Amino acid sequence: MPKDPETAGQQDAPHTLIPFLQSQSQTALTRLYTRPSSCLAIFRLLGPIERQIVMSLLWLEGPIASQTLNAWVTKEGRKPYGTALDTLSKIQILPNPGTRMLLNPNFKASFRMALTGGGDLNSFGVPYVSSKEKDAERDGAGDKKFGPNLEHLDSYALERWETILHYMVSSGTDSTPQRPSAGVLYLLQRSGLMQPLPSPSGYSTASSRKTSQLQISSLGFQFLLHTPHEQLWELLLQYLKMVEERQMDLVEVLNFLFMLSTMDLGREYSPDNLTQTQLVMLEDLRDYGLIWQRKSSSKRFSPTRLATTLTSSTPLLPSSGGGNTGPQGFIILETNYRLYAYTDNPLQIAVLNLFVHLKSRYPNLVVGSITRDSVRKALNNGIRADQIISYLVTHAHPQMRRNNPLLPVTVQDQIRLWELEKNRLKSADGYLYTNFAAQADYQVVLDYAKQIGVVLWENSVKRCFFASAEGHSNIRGFIERRSKDEQM
């Protein structure tokens, strides 16, 4: 077993879907493992040690003792090895690792089929064969490709995906270029990434929440700084959590997502073998850019690169402004806090505007500076100092990568200091009570406020205290009743 610290560290951070699978019932996982494409996709999501354990047991016809496999593990690798066994056990791939080592029969049979072929489950999709392709095959030109152009697929997926991200960044302004579909907006709201703008009257009804304009939340600001792969899976996990209320079959939803991740990019597939739940997903996933169809009523569909890379480490799209898309960076940061961003991507510029004071914009360059006010604005919206620094490191220009350290230490320290400065003080809405005639009056009212738990600050010397806004009506009523009693 590997004992590389880096490999061991990967075991501490499993793919975001693994904890979700661990929470599912044994019956649901057993159904899931009957599809070869699902087994292959889940195998790709596992860590390196888990994959090694699976491959070591896959071709064995019977169980082996746990001690036999334990003997392969070095002393340094016991902890990550134990974590890997625990993960495989919780997702029912290795049901009883403590007594014997034997893979789940359904998983083993389906995974073998995924690797060697065979079967008529159509688990990897049914390719659509047009009349032109049939004619070409009959004429001996079967290698000719009639599917959609890859550049067109990438352009379509990028446009749909950046529409969602750009709407989040530009929410609440008049500069929003395009509004996503109602289903996408509902998902963004349910996931907590966006929230309705407060109504002028101070309260909202169920109907107004459906039609009101949305604004980005603190979680949404943090979401924009994640990589596109993390962003996509965050939305898909929320989609999975909504399956039950939409009366959809969770196993069929997972099977369809896993099937998309194993399909060929640039090929068209037939929806004839899809279930009713999966046909509904076709329309949903079009809105996210995972599916392309010539027409909404088309009898064929193509997965985009967003779908085919769901379970791989390949970048989702050739170009995207929301997160890390490769080693090529575009940001140069100087020790005087001045920032140069060599980009004309509206989304990248909008994300920078979250924590940078932008001053000038040129055809392929944006100039700004990191200031106390710009960082405080980001902190108030839920973005942490470490996230800002991580984004700058991730998108640093190749010229900056020659520096050691990559970012100026003074800038990093100052961003963290601004965060500490913000966290020193806490604000709260409330009322200040002062000008008491006597110490006894002050003490009686203070004791009552403490009794109901609304005192936030007090100063006995100056006979004043500060209470939360929620307790003001109670305190005022107490003072009025006491005044009436004294007058009688």
Side-chain angles (χ1 to χ4, degrees), residues 362-411:
Y362 303 97
N364 64 338
L365 172 67
V366 176
V367 180
S369 59
I370 297 179
T371 66
R372 180 174 179 269
D373 290 339
S374 66
V375 172
R376 283 177 63 87
K377 180 183 70 173
L379 296 173
N380 289 333
N381 286 316
I383 301 177
R384 302 191 306 272
D386 288 341
Q387 290 177 318
I388 295 175
I389 294 171
S390 175
Y391 185 86
L392 294 173
V393 170
T394 301
H395 295 280
H397 193 277
Q399 190 75 20
M400 282 199 67
R401 297 189 181 278
R402 302 176 183 178
N403 302 337
N404 188 17
L406 194 151
L407 294 182
V409 177
T410 53
V411 179

Side-chain angles (χ1 to χ4, degrees), residues 1-5 7-8 11 47-57 64 66 68-82 84-85 88 94 101:
M1 288 294 172
K3 59 180 181 179
D4 184 11
T7 302
Q11 295 301 111
I49 298 180
E50 290 134 357
R51 292 198 297 266
Q52 184 173 344
I53 293 174
V54 170
M55 293 305 298
S56 299
L57 301 175
I64 63 173
S66 300
T68 302
L69 205 60
N70 294 343
W72 301 355
V73 185
T74 63
K75 183 177 180 181
E76 296 83 356
R78 288 176 185 172
K79 184 175 180 180
Y81 171 71
L85 288 181
L88 293 175
L94 197 60
M101 296 293 184

Side-chain angles (χ1 to χ4, degrees), residues 108 188 193 244 264 280 296 365 389 398:
K108 181 167 68 173
L188 292 175
L193 301 178
E244 184 176 352
D264 293 333
V280 172
S296 59
L365 172 67
I389 294 171

Side-chain angles (χ1 to χ4, degrees), residues 155-285:
S155 175
Y156 167 82
L158 182 62
E159 183 271 329
R160 286 297 179 98
W161 184 246
E162 289 200 343
T163 294
I164 299 174
L165 299 183
H166 208 172
Y167 178 82
M168 293 179 63
V169 177
S170 307
S171 59
T173 68
D174 297 330
S175 60
T176 305
Q178 188 176 348
R179 186 181 179 92
S181 68
V184 174
L185 295 180
Y186 181 70
L187 186 67
L188 292 175
Q189 185 175 351
R190 280 293 301 272
S191 61
L193 301 178
M194 302 193 76
Q195 58 192 11
L197 283 169
S199 61
S201 59
Y203 64 91
S204 60
T205 62
S207 59
S208 65
R209 283 194 297 269
K210 292 180 181 179
T211 58
S212 63
Q213 188 177 9
L214 299 176
Q215 66 178 357
I216 193 168
S217 66
S218 59
L219 287 176
F221 277 100
Q222 298 177 29
F223 172 85
L224 291 172
L225 300 185
H226 295 167
T227 66
H229 196 273
E230 293 172 335
Q231 292 172 345
L232 180 57
W233 270 110
E234 284 185 49
L235 291 181
L236 289 179
L237 281 175
Q238 185 61 42
Y239 185 90
L240 293 173
K241 293 175 183 177
M242 293 167 50
V243 162
E244 184 176 352
E245 69 180 63
R246 298 182 63 188
Q247 299 181 345
M248 300 168 71
D249 190 326
L250 176 62
V251 174
E252 291 182 3
V253 172
L254 286 169
N255 279 331
F256 188 59
L257 290 176
F258 290 145
M259 180 172 66
L260 290 175
S261 71
T262 58
M263 286 181 171
D264 293 333
L265 182 65
R267 171 172 287 186
E268 290 185 301
Y269 291 84
S270 171
D272 293 340
N273 68 317
L274 300 182
T275 65
Q276 188 59 40
T277 291
Q278 293 168 347
L279 290 175
V280 172
M281 291 181 65
L282 271 182
E283 183 177 351
D284 293 340
L285 297 183

